Amino acid sequence: MSELTTGSFSIDDLENVQITINNIVGAIEKEAESSDVEMGPTVKPGVSSLRDWDHNVLDRYNAVYTPMCDQCCYCTFGPCDLSGNKEGACGIDLAGHNAREFMLRVITGAAAHSGHGRHLLHHLIGLYGKDHPLDVGATNIIAPNVQLVTGVQPKTLGDLDDVLSYVEEQITQLLAAVHMGQEGAAIDFESKALHGGMIDHVGMEISDIAQISCLEFPKADEEPPLADIGMGCIDSSKPTLIVIGHNVAAITDIIDYMDEKGLNETMELGGLCCTALDMTRYKAEDRTAPQAKIVGTLAKELKTIRSGIPDVIVVDEQCIRADVLEEASRLMIPVITTNDKVMYGLKDRSNDDIEDIIEDLTTGKEKGALMFDYEKLGELAPRLTIMMSEIRKQKGIKALPEEGDLKAIADTCVHCGACEVACPDSLPISEAFTRLSEGDLTKFEWIHDKCIACGRCEYACPKDIDVVDVIEKCSQSLISEEVGKVRAGRGPISDPEIREEGVNLVLGTTPGIVALVGCSNYPDGTKDLYTIADEMLRRNYIVVVSGCSAMDLGMYKNEDGLTLYEQYPSRFRSGGLMNTGSCVSNSHITGAVIKVAAIFAQKNISGNYEEIADYTLNRVGAVGVAWGAYSQKAASIGTGCNRLGVPVILGPHGSKYRRALISKPYEEDKWNVFDARDGSEMKIPAAPDYLLTTAETVEEMMPMLAKSCIRPSDNNMGRMIKLTHYIELTQKYLGVMPDDWHKFVRTETDLPLAKREDLLKILEAEHGWEIDWKRKKILSGPAMKSDVSAQPTNLKRLCKEA
Amino acid sequence: MVDVIKNTQMHCTYGCKTSKAVQPNVAGKMISKAKRPLLIVGSQVLKDEELLKRTIEIAKKADLPVAATGHSISGMVDSGVNAKYINVHSLATYLCDPNWKGLDGEGQYDTVIMLGHIKYYVNQVLSGLKSFSNLKTISIERFYIQNATMSFGNITPEVHVEALDELIENL
Ligand code: SF4
Ligand code: SF4
Ligand code: SF4
């Protein structure tokens, strides 16, 4: 029996009997064992398999807790007062409790992605069968995260099914550890959180490669088509269907139906959040511009509904507001839910006749419907949209306040300031109302870009002013111009690209990879993202984006009216800007890092997690930025990057994740690695000096980005380039020299060429280094040796002498 | 005398321990009495000239070393204050470590004064200090900051400037 794998076979002697084997426990392990691929020591690691590596890393990058609440309310012993790091009735202290909560946040995010993956995979296997081959473009490593963690090299949808079972098992084991009265050590909760983050990237990868393989998405495409984006790109005179969420499974049927019936010119199909991005990838392999439009991010959800423009809303899962139904029904917009994670209390109409459902929704008898039959949905949603458009027009549905009413509304404001206390970004609403009373709309226009449309101001207002509506009404002309371009998600990075660029990355001559990911809880509006990408692209960093960040980046244009997507190539090279795709496409970013080790450095990656994470931390100058991170998913994505050795910077809102990983550069003994050639110890610079931290402003982050790309293995040219950017960015954005630049200098050739002489003078005068001025050589001073052929590692077992 | 302790409404609560509302004159005297104080200045001071002016005045009059977080240092270059850039999240981490030698190598601080920070960010950063250090933290922001040891209440920008003037008088 153990020889059998998935498939079917007939038994000769018995007629008409066919036995179908769907899954054999251990089949995949067998297959891994029998393949001639070399396996690393941690194939399908359990919760504790990588614990030593984690403890090693956490010894340098300490968990820093900033609890949101100093109580614990987990069980009936409590609530317990844990302030001052006291212990609760069960014995857990505040640090442990916070670590536990952080881990829970991470696995919630991982569950969101892999739950999405499971749903999608079921759906796609139903349509295409288990043997449907995986095809993600020009690569021999179809699934780098899957292979790295599990040793499996999946070839079909069915192979993904098996890996996903492993993912689900790990998430269950981690969740079990949250139960009170067991794990007590904060550091082990941290290790579990890292495990969850790693597992998340496997789950994300499964989701994305399944949909890329089946739905004609771009496959490692260097020139994916451009899609329209912005609240202004919807022609609101047409019937408008808006979809919200992350799981495009159901929406493809709508797109197909619209194509079939020639409805693409009759009505508008727009999306919010990642489903929108994935709609523009659907059937984009042929590079024709997508019909579907991207309205924007989560921050535009409430605004889009309140605008009254949608005639029907379809939601799937994840980043969708819990009040969509309530908000939409006020404006007679029917809502259709399509996923069992989000049902809004609606009746399941999956088995009902379409005409009956249409009758109930058009008459307003029901506010919405739950629909699991996607073929039916494909027809229902467009037809309903066209009908509702007419009905809503006839009824004269009024959405935002009239312009003439704005002054009267402004005059009801008593300037109590409650809204500003409630507003997550303390936006100056009271002042904007004062100006509005005088007929000046500009302050509200200014607020529009910064407002994330959470609606908290409205709940706080004692005068019941619909502040969000006022912001939107005042910004109508601005909103109509909100039109941009974004590249449809290209999917993974191809092997030829990695082969070409790997050497530059590892030696440091390409200064680094900056990955801009995450959601829309930005501290100071969306333009920050553009500012970061623009600056780093000009400096030849590789910029990779995904999800809501990829969308918002496309909203800004240069003097010639071009977005960054139109200015920079979508190639994995110095000065390239790539949109990998939706949230689950973040796995291609870690995937690219893994491929650098596999393809460029010829490392075995199968089940070899530690070694690859070690390689990344010491050699690949990559840094993640989640400037507007808001959800648990961002916590899991970032944590997965961390375990792989990629540091991540969050915007100030990211402090609300309540946990960071920050080192102490002054702890000198922590900044050593081994040289794999002989096991000797090497001093290394304190960069990156965090694995997860927050920055207050974009200006502060710019030099942090440059410093975070410095790695022990940089050669002299690479170190010089990286130091040049670090010094220049510090001077440009902070107005001073960085006070630690000299700590990264190993030899005179590490110094930026244009400033070499001046910097040598400073080294001599301020730091007491000895300089041979005739030869412009450093004689003594640096804490580190310069030896570019050294092989830095944190793993003693990889050393020759060990 | 300006009264800054009336409104201590919070946008969300951080649990059991809340900061004591403090008047400017008292805060001023406490800062003067601190043995090893540190003024931590955030990027928001750059958004308001009056605020930046007062910040520099406080640092000078009380002879306070300044930890300039965010990009606030760019407003203090050539102002004559003893300011150093540092990331506030890192700073708070070091402030919980008794072995840290401070920005000047002279040792750990006993009192920190917060001014010019993003409200939610500083509250978050201070929650670490509240739970994992013995430091005295005085917030002289224009919002009630629950996680400080002492804080002004929620006040308008105008009252804030008045309050800072009064604090300066009492240094
Ligand atoms: S889990 Fe522990 S700390 Fe939390 S409420 Fe129960 S006893 Fe208290
Ligand atoms: S809706 Fe906008 S203005 Fe209102 S509280 Fe949220 S972010 Fe602030
Ligand atoms: S809460 Fe309402 S009344 Fe008070 S300032 Fe804000 S908008 Fe005006």
Side-chain angles (χ1 to χ4, degrees):
Chain A
M1 279 297 274
S2 61
E3 296 304 309
L4 293 176
T5 56
T6 312
S8 52
F9 66 94
S10 305
I11 299 172
D12 291 340
D13 300 339
L14 291 168
E15 272 174 40
N16 298 327
V17 170
Q18 186 173 17
I19 300 171
T20 303
I21 312 284
N22 283 321
N23 203 349
I24 292 180
V25 181
I28 199 126
E29 279 81 357
K30 266 253 144 2
E31 201 179 300
E33 274 167 30
S34 64
S35 76
D36 43 8
V37 178
E38 186 194 337
M39 285 291 154
T42 52
V43 177
K44 289 196 173 178
V47 169
S48 62
S49 309
L50 290 160
R51 181 173 183 252
D52 286 351
W53 167 255
D54 295 335
H55 278 238
N56 192 350
V57 171
L58 292 167
D59 181 49
R60 187 193 291 161
Y61 299 103
N62 305 140
V64 175
Y65 301 114
T66 53
M68 192 71 94
C69 177
D70 51 21
Q71 287 189 78
C72 174
C73 321
Y74 265 37
C75 79
T76 60
F77 280 172
C80 294
D81 171 7
L82 305 182
S83 60
N85 204 25
K86 281 199 280 288
E87 279 180 14
C90 66
I92 202 164
D93 61 13
L94 186 59
H97 175 57
N98 247 267
R100 168 167 68 179
E101 287 211 302
F102 184 77
M103 195 268 279
L104 183 57
R105 225 159 279 135
V106 168
I107 58 172
T108 304
H113 288 135
S114 51
H116 166 197
R118 176 54 86 192
H119 176 264
L120 199 59
L121 198 60
H122 270 320
H123 179 66
L124 295 174
I125 287 177
L127 291 177
Y128 302 94
K130 278 203 164 196
D131 295 332
H132 187 83
L134 298 175
D135 177 8
V136 296
T139 183
N140 288 323
I141 306 172
I142 292 178
N145 279 286
V146 169
Q147 192 177 337
L148 177 66
V149 176
T150 66
V152 176
Q153 298 185 42
K155 296 190 180 61
T156 63
L157 287 181
D159 294 346
L160 294 181
D161 206 18
D162 295 324
V163 181
L164 202 47
S165 304
Y166 160 75
V167 166
E168 287 156 350
E169 182 191 335
Q170 295 310 304
I171 293 176
T172 308
Q173 294 300 348
L174 289 170
L175 183 56
V178 174
H179 181 271
M180 65 151 299
Q182 38 184 351
E183 182 63 81
I187 192 166
D188 276 313
F189 271 124
E190 291 300 335
S191 169
K192 291 180 170 83
L194 292 167
H195 190 65
M198 176 189 79
I199 291 295
D200 181 41
H201 285 248
V202 178
M204 287 194 293
E205 190 169 88
I206 292 172
S207 308
D208 211 30
I209 63 179
Q211 56 181 2
I212 290 173
S213 300
C214 297
L215 303 178
E216 294 169 66
F217 281 16
K219 301 183 198 310
D221 190 343
E222 285 179 36
E223 216 182 310
L226 288 160
D228 288 334
I229 180 166
M231 285 179 83
C233 75
I234 298 283
D235 177 356
S236 57
S237 67
K238 291 185 186 170
T240 301
L241 172 59
I242 295 292
V243 304
I244 312 178
H246 276 244
N247 189 345
V248 80
I251 314 306
T252 56
D253 285 84
I254 297 177
I255 298 179
D256 290 345
Y257 181 86
M258 285 174 62
D259 275 344
E260 234 169 75
K261 300 284 171 192
L263 293 177
N264 288 324
E265 301 304 318
T266 316
M267 58 178 282
E268 290 277 40
L269 174 64
L272 289 144
C273 256
C274 281
T275 294
L277 276 171
D278 282 345
M279 288 190 323
T280 67
R281 296 164 85 188
Y282 182 51
K283 293 184 178 169
E285 210 184 358
D286 60 1
R287 299 212 174 127
T288 44
Q291 301 275 356
K293 293 170 178 173
I294 305 171
V295 179
T297 64
L298 177 84
K300 306 284 186 204
E301 278 180 27
L302 195 57
K303 287 181 184 173
T304 304
I305 302 173
R306 294 276 185 96
S307 74
I309 290 171
D311 293 302
V312 172
I313 293 174
V314 173
V315 302
D316 45 63
E317 62 170 284
Q318 295 169 52
C319 303
I320 55 185
R321 292 183 59 94
D323 59 357
V324 168
L325 181 66
E326 198 191 311
E327 288 284 343
S329 61
R330 272 193 220 137
L331 297 170
M332 216 187 155
I333 306 170
V335 175
I336 306 177
T337 55
T338 60
N339 194 296
D340 48 19
K341 292 175 208 98
V342 188
M343 302 198 274
Y344 290 155
L346 292 167
K347 269 192 210 153
D348 183 356
R349 308 298 299 266
S350 309
N351 298 317
D352 294 356
D353 191 69
I354 290 193
E355 307 307 327
D356 293 343
I357 307 172
I358 288 187
E359 167 74 17
D360 288 348
L361 294 178
T362 49
T363 54
K365 192 171 154 222
E366 299 284 339
K367 293 176 180 172
L370 172 59
M371 176 54 69
F372 292 136
D373 181 336
Y374 294 166
E375 225 181 294
K376 213 176 257 179
L377 174 80
E379 180 185 342
L380 169 67
R383 280 183 59 196
L384 186 66
T385 304
I386 293 168
M387 292 172 78
M388 285 310 299
S389 165
E390 203 42 49
I391 294 168
R392 294 178 70 245
K393 241 178 240 147
Q394 274 171 16
K395 291 217 184 272
I397 303 276
K398 213 172 121 279
L400 300 175
E402 298 289 334
E403 198 151 339
D405 296 339
L406 283 176
K407 188 181 161 13
I409 297 173
D411 289 343
T412 57
C413 170
V414 292
H415 305 285
C416 63
C419 49
E420 294 182 18
V421 173
C423 175
D425 282 316
S426 315
L427 293 171
I429 300 163
S430 161
E431 186 198 335
F433 271 123
T434 307
R435 300 252 208 111
L436 185 59
S437 287
E438 296 154 5
D440 174 6
L441 276 57
T442 53
K443 195 77 195 182
F444 271 119
E445 274 191 344
W446 180 86
I447 287 179
H448 168 70
D449 179 53
K450 322 230 167 215
C451 165
I452 48 178
C454 64
R456 264 187 9 195
C457 47
E458 294 186 352
Y459 299 118
C461 178
K463 292 291 177 187
D464 289 330
I465 301 176
D466 292 329
V467 183
V468 177
D469 289 10
V470 174
I471 297 171
E472 186 163 352
K473 184 68 201 172
C474 292
S475 316
Q476 290 275 281
S477 72
L478 208 73
I479 290 171
S480 67
E481 285 160 28
E482 274 186 0
V483 187
K485 290 278 182 205
V486 56
R487 283 223 177 271
R490 56 163 281 160
I493 314 300
S494 73
D495 292 7
E497 289 171 272
I498 300 280
R499 219 165 275 130
E500 223 170 276
E501 189 59 31
V503 60
N504 303 328
L505 269 172
V506 170
L507 295 181
T509 46
T510 290
I513 307 175
V514 179
L516 301 175
V517 307
C519 334
S520 45
N521 196 9
Y522 308 116
D524 209 7
T526 50
K527 198 161 187 189
D528 279 352
L529 272 183
Y530 174 85
T531 312
I532 305 164
D534 188 42
E535 178 73 67
M536 300 322 271
L537 283 165
R538 279 171 204 265
R539 291 177 179 274
N540 278 326
Y541 285 77
I542 299 174
V543 176
V544 200
V545 297
S546 66
C548 287
S549 296
M551 297 185 197
D552 280 330
L553 200 59
M555 298 296 297
Y556 294 92
K557 296 172 184 156
N558 69 0
E559 318 75 59
D560 304 323
L562 296 176
T563 62
L564 291 171
Y565 290 111
E566 292 157 295
Q567 294 170 60
Y568 291 92
S570 171
R571 190 175 159 81
F572 190 72
R573 68 160 167 81
S574 217
L577 169 63
M578 283 151 291
N579 173 20
T580 54
S582 55
C583 241
V584 287
S585 313
N586 279 304
S587 54
H588 305 313
I589 301 175
T590 42
V593 170
I594 298 165
K595 282 185 180 183
V596 170
I599 298 169
F600 168 70
Q602 303 276 305
K603 294 250 172 211
N604 162 43
I605 59 168
S606 300
N608 198 19
Y609 198 90
E610 271 184 348
E611 190 175 341
I612 303 306
D614 178 62
Y615 181 85
T616 311
L617 185 60
N618 285 308
R619 289 180 185 263
V620 185
V623 55
V625 175
W627 192 235
Y630 95 105
S631 82
Q632 292 90 345
K633 292 185 296 162
S636 60
I637 295 169
T639 306
C641 290
N642 291 166
R643 201 185 215 188
L644 191 62
V646 178
V648 176
I649 308 177
L650 307 169
H653 279 293
S655 60
K656 292 182 225 163
Y657 285 122
R658 298 155 245 189
R659 137 47 176 80
L661 293 175
I662 299 175
S663 75
K664 297 172 182 145
Y666 56 87
E667 288 182 339
E668 307 251 330
D669 57 326
K670 299 271 167 80
W671 299 95
N672 287 314
V673 290
F674 303 110
D675 184 343
R677 292 175 305 182
D678 56 8
S680 62
E681 289 208 6
M682 285 171 68
K683 272 215 98 31
I684 57 161
D689 51 8
Y690 64 90
L691 274 185
L692 189 85
T693 191
T694 56
E696 194 169 321
T697 57
V698 159
E699 291 85 351
E700 176 182 28
M701 185 160 59
M702 296 291 193
M704 283 171 80
L705 289 175
K707 183 165 134 185
S708 306
C709 290
I710 294 176
R711 289 292 178 279
S713 69
D714 298 335
N715 73 358
N716 297 125
M717 176 68 86
R719 182 62 60 85
M720 181 177 89
I721 292 170
K722 291 179 181 186
L723 258 184
T724 304
H725 292 305
Y726 178 42
I727 292 173
E728 281 180 9
L729 286 166
T730 311
Q731 288 180 317
K732 177 169 172 183
Y733 289 99
L734 303 184
V736 292
M737 272 293 270
D739 62 2
D740 59 353
W741 64 270
H742 61 282
K743 294 187 180 160
F744 307 108
V745 179
R746 301 161 301 185
T747 170
E748 57 285 344
T749 45
D750 282 350
L751 290 168
L753 205 53
K755 299 191 175 83
R756 194 167 288 171
E757 183 139 356
D758 291 343
L759 295 179
L760 282 172
K761 277 184 198 149
I762 299 177
L763 288 173
E764 186 180 56
E766 289 176 21
H767 303 287
W769 291 19
E770 271 180 281
I771 315 289
D772 173 350
W773 281 106
K774 246 195 220 129
R775 294 186 297 147
K776 301 225 167 52
K777 268 183 92 64
I778 294 171
L779 297 177
S780 74
M784 294 166 283
K785 273 196 306 203
S786 173
D787 181 353
V788 287
S789 48
Q791 292 170 23
T793 175
N794 295 298
L795 291 167
K796 188 97 190 165
R797 70 175 162 86
L798 297 182
C799 300
K800 288 245 162 61
E801 310 279 289
Chain B
M1 195 185 93
V2 30
D3 185 358
V4 303
I5 63 172
K6 264 190 266 175
N7 181 354
T8 56
Q9 187 194 352
M10 288 170 280
H11 62 296
C12 49
T13 159
Y14 284 76
C16 304
K17 236 173 148 181
T18 47
S19 64
K20 233 168 84 193
V22 66
Q23 298 286 16
N25 58 341
V26 180
K29 283 185 193 122
M30 293 190 59
I31 294 168
S32 301
K33 268 197 240 143
K35 285 211 176 68
R36 202 164 141 70
L38 177 68
L39 176 60
I40 306 178
V41 177
S43 58
Q44 302 300 297
V45 291
L46 301 176
K47 292 193 171 164
D48 181 344
E49 255 175 60
E50 294 300 312
L51 196 56
L52 181 61
K53 225 170 82 189
R54 278 24 173 230
T55 307
I56 292 170
E57 234 178 296
I58 293 169
K60 281 189 174 160
K61 187 158 179 207
D63 194 19
L64 296 174
V66 173
T69 73
H71 63 298
S72 68
I73 186 92
S74 62
M76 282 176 269
V77 179
D78 301 330
S79 67
V81 298
N82 169 17
K84 267 198 173 148
Y85 159 75
I86 187 164
N87 171 277
V88 77
H89 215 144
S90 299
L91 172 63
T93 306
Y94 310 160
L95 284 170
C96 292
D97 174 7
N99 296 325
W100 186 47
K101 293 282 181 299
L103 291 169
D104 53 6
E106 305 279 301
Q108 191 52 280
Y109 302 91
D110 66 342
T111 305
V112 297
I113 303 104
M114 313 300 294
L115 181 58
H117 297 272
I118 301 171
K119 173 180 71 176
Y120 61 85
Y121 192 35
V122 74
N123 228 340
Q124 210 60 48
V125 162
L126 284 175
S127 102
L129 295 182
K130 171 175 101 169
S131 304
F132 303 105
S133 84
N134 297 319
L135 223 59
K136 188 177 284 166
T137 59
I138 305 174
S139 165
I140 52 173
E141 309 280 2
R142 74 174 195 85
F143 294 102
Y144 180 64
I145 301 297
Q146 180 189 339
N147 290 327
T149 319
M150 264 159 276
S151 169
F152 289 174
N154 298 305
I155 44 182
T156 63
E158 298 76 41
V159 173
H160 191 209
V161 167
E162 248 181 277
L164 292 178
D165 283 338
E166 204 172 304
L167 180 142
I168 292 165
E169 272 168 40
N170 284 280
L171 286 173

